[in-house]
Amino acid sequence: MKSQRYFFTLLFISIIFGFSNEQGKATSYEHLALESTRLEMICSEDGVIKYLFSAQKALHYQNGDQEYQGDVHLSFYKTDSTESSEPQLSVIGRANRAYYWAEEKIYELTGDVEIKSLQENKQLNTDMLCFDADSDTFYTDKFIRVETEHDILTGEGLTAKRDLSHYSVSKPQGNFDPIPV
């Protein structure tokens, strides 16, 4: 009898603590509003394509946060100032996973992130990279590797324009030729 009471007490405690909701950035499945597979999203402004985004699986939560799983791919387009010009593919990227944090309006790419600027002929690699669509910039505080035609720059921390035309590295490492002034 005493062992049954002990067993049920442990079972009750396990259930209570097993289903406790941890506070943090991750969103729980109980707040899942929509789940989709093979997602392809086209984002445009004034009828002009700005970027394409695709993922194997997308989870949309009630608070507006989104999680993208599987091969995540993105393509950014650039338009010339002339009205008749077609958007040109300027930047392509990929990651293992992505998140959209609705409150901050930030995309976070994680796991083997690679961004290639086709116009600047540069490639950025890191494990985690954020994209702020409002300011059109990438940033991270993680280890990065930027490869150009002539140089390879590594370091920690980066802030960059979307097309990688201008970037700054917080703690640079490696060998590179400075641009003559």
Side-chain angles (χ1 to χ4, degrees):
M1 186 76 160
K2 193 174 186 179
S3 63
Q4 282 183 333
R5 193 176 333 155
Y6 180 72
F7 172 76
F8 286 115
T9 303
L10 280 176
L11 179 64
F12 179 73
I13 291 171
S14 297
I15 289 172
I16 295 297
F17 287 107
F19 291 110
S20 68
N21 189 12
E22 294 181 18
Q23 296 297 319
K25 197 128 185 172
T27 309
S28 69
Y29 277 96
E30 68 187 48
H31 297 105
L32 184 64
L34 176 69
E35 180 176 341
S36 56
T37 57
R38 297 186 193 145
L39 171 83
E40 189 167 297
M41 186 169 48
I42 301 170
C43 300
S44 64
E45 186 176 289
D46 296 327
V48 177
I49 295 175
K50 291 293 185 182
Y51 60 94
L52 300 173
F53 187 88
S54 66
Q56 294 297 312
K57 184 175 183 180
L59 305 172
H60 301 265
Y61 297 97
Q62 292 174 358
N63 65 355
D65 290 349
Q66 301 165 14
E67 179 179 348
Y68 302 96
Q69 302 171 352
D71 295 322
V72 176
H73 295 274
L74 53 138
S75 304
F76 290 97
Y77 290 82
K78 182 179 181 179
T79 55
D80 293 335
S81 57
T82 61
E83 286 184 31
S84 62
S85 67
E86 292 290 318
Q88 300 294 315
L89 184 60
S90 63
V91 176
I92 56 174
R94 66 173 175 77
N96 294 340
R97 185 173 285 235
Y99 302 92
Y100 175 72
W101 305 116
E103 190 173 316
E104 296 91 357
K105 297 181 182 177
I106 299 293
Y107 286 92
E108 180 181 310
L109 307 168
T110 62
D112 195 22
V113 180
E114 179 180 274
I115 304 294
K116 290 182 182 180
S117 173
L118 303 176
Q119 295 174 334
E120 295 290 323
N121 201 18
K122 294 177 184 172
Q123 180 174 315
L124 166 64
N125 295 88
T126 186
D127 286 329
M128 192 276 292
L129 188 66
C130 293
F131 177 70
D132 183 337
D134 289 340
S135 64
D136 212 24
T137 57
F138 289 112
Y139 63 91
T140 186
D141 60 354
K142 304 293 184 196
F143 179 82
I144 57 97
R145 180 180 189 271
V146 177
E147 186 175 341
T148 67
E149 290 182 56
H150 307 289
D151 303 310
I152 295 176
L153 174 65
T154 60
E156 289 183 16
L158 172 122
T159 301
K161 282 187 152 187
R162 179 185 65 182
D163 63 0
L164 302 179
S165 60
H166 299 290
Y167 57 89
S168 64
V169 178
S170 302
K171 298 177 186 173
Q173 305 166 355
N175 299 321
F176 58 97
D177 293 328
I179 300 171
V181 180

